[in-house]
Amino acid sequence: MTLSEIKGRDDLPRHIAIIMDGNGRWAKQRGENRIYGHRQGAGAVREVIEASAEIGIGYLTLYAFSTENWNRPDDEIDALMGLMVKSMNDETKTLVENNMKLSVIGDVGRLTEDVRLRLQDTVELTAGATGMHLIVALSYSSRWEMAEAAKAISRDVSRGLTDLSDIDEKLFSSYLGTSGIPDPELLIRTSGELRLSNFLLWQVAYTELYFTETLWPDFGRDDYYMAIADYLKRERRFGLTSEQLSDNK
Ligand code: FPP
């Protein structure tokens, strides 16, 4: 499928989430170090953001750094944080000019102050944007996010701000980092790994999953269009039968 065939369709995913995997293996295949792979990966990030805006995707969530990634070697963590700061320095103007909003989800308290402030700056500068919403999951894990939500709900119940009987799926969702953001319709993972790795576990309950062997630095527009085309072919039943879906049309 080409861009012109995808663009303007009314059944496109509103929200796409991506697990960007394979930077290390991509670098190793070329006899380079992992950091080189992450740098190339940042190029693929730019490409996918541009393509998403062109197609008219409303929300794009990128898994940039997991809670578990804190266990990687210090030089790799430093390089990834440096890349994040560099991307913000280079791209904030473009985000503003293109009316894009940036949010960060995750345990940002673990980031160093310079990284946190740099991100906060871009988040504040783009807060009023009404175009595409880019969500970067940084120092993120779904179990952490859900445990934080449980703590915050308990606190509000004990203070009398929320009643135990008010707790339902909608209320729980509103305590997550993704509050106000619709659940993704499509989740893409690159590099051939077939798992979710603690990413948006609550939010992907009905999400269509797409796995590709392509390593993240090689993931370009054609791969992205292919993933979206695959999504467009699927029948989303949400627990109903095909017949029920046809009757409701
Ligand atoms: C996974 O590959 C990738 C990451 C842990 C980092 C992703 C970060 C970027 C692409 C940098 C820029 C991001 C933004 C949002 C500007 P891996 O290292 O796990 O690869 P491997 O599985 O082959 O070892």
Side-chain angles (χ1 to χ4, degrees):
M1 231 178 216
T2 60
L3 173 61
S4 58
E5 287 169 294
I6 291 173
K7 212 172 157 176
R9 280 186 61 144
D10 60 6
D11 51 354
L12 285 171
R14 215 170 18 144
H15 182 178
I16 299 180
I18 307 183
I19 302 177
M20 311 179 288
D21 196 12
N23 294 349
R25 275 163 286 166
W26 185 92
K28 199 170 172 201
Q29 285 171 3
R30 286 157 181 80
E32 299 282 352
N33 66 20
R34 302 178 53 81
I35 294 164
Y36 180 76
H38 295 313
R39 265 192 229 120
Q40 297 299 314
V45 168
R46 191 173 211 284
E47 184 104 350
V48 164
I49 294 173
E50 273 176 17
S52 303
E54 274 171 33
I55 298 166
I57 302 301
Y59 303 83
L60 176 68
T61 301
L62 301 175
Y63 203 5
F65 193 86
S66 71
T67 309
E68 292 75 20
N69 288 152
W70 286 114
N71 298 321
R72 292 203 174 181
D74 286 347
D75 61 339
E76 186 173 343
I77 295 175
D78 290 348
L80 279 166
M81 294 301 152
L83 261 180
M84 203 56 63
V85 170
K86 185 177 176 335
S87 300
M88 292 302 127
N89 288 339
D90 295 349
E91 307 294 353
T92 297
K93 195 163 163 267
T94 313
L95 292 176
V96 172
E97 282 169 2
N98 288 283
N99 194 24
M100 289 183 195
K101 178 184 166 93
L102 178 84
S103 297
V104 179
I105 55 170
D107 190 2
V108 289
R110 290 183 73 176
L111 302 172
T112 57
E113 200 183 0
D114 58 325
V115 178
R116 201 169 54 241
L117 293 178
R118 187 63 201 82
L119 284 162
Q120 198 180 312
D121 203 35
T122 305
V123 167
E124 282 167 13
L125 273 168
T126 61
T130 53
M132 192 175 85
H133 191 167
L134 174 65
I135 301 117
V136 177
L138 197 55
S139 186
Y140 174 88
S141 87
S142 201
R143 289 183 173 180
W144 168 84
E145 182 187 42
M146 288 195 265
E148 287 300 304
K151 272 192 258 174
I153 294 171
S154 309
R155 220 176 289 129
D156 285 353
V157 169
S158 65
R159 287 178 186 152
L161 299 170
T162 302
D163 197 78
L164 198 57
S165 62
D166 293 334
I167 301 175
D168 58 10
E169 292 178 16
K170 191 160 169 261
L171 181 117
F172 190 80
S173 294
S174 75
Y175 279 81
L176 297 173
T178 49
S179 170
I181 297 168
D183 290 341
E185 287 86 7
L186 172 63
L187 179 135
I188 300 169
R189 181 171 191 151
T190 59
S191 91
E193 307 294 354
L194 305 178
R195 55 179 172 265
L196 293 174
S197 300
N198 219 344
F199 186 47
L200 302 178
L201 300 181
W202 172 275
Q203 296 88 337
V204 299
Y206 279 101
T207 300
E208 297 297 326
L209 308 179
Y210 179 87
F211 299 98
T212 169
E213 293 285 328
T214 305
L215 302 177
W216 178 251
D218 285 332
F219 190 84
R221 279 166 193 267
D222 287 345
D223 301 275
Y224 196 40
Y225 300 154
M226 210 142 65
I228 294 171
D230 193 89
Y231 164 85
L232 290 170
K233 283 196 305 236
R234 300 189 192 182
E235 181 184 59
R236 307 191 71 214
R237 289 198 293 275
F238 303 99
L240 300 177
T241 65
S242 284
E243 291 71 27
Q244 284 175 305
L245 284 177
S246 311
D247 291 348
N248 291 340
K249 271 186 189 158

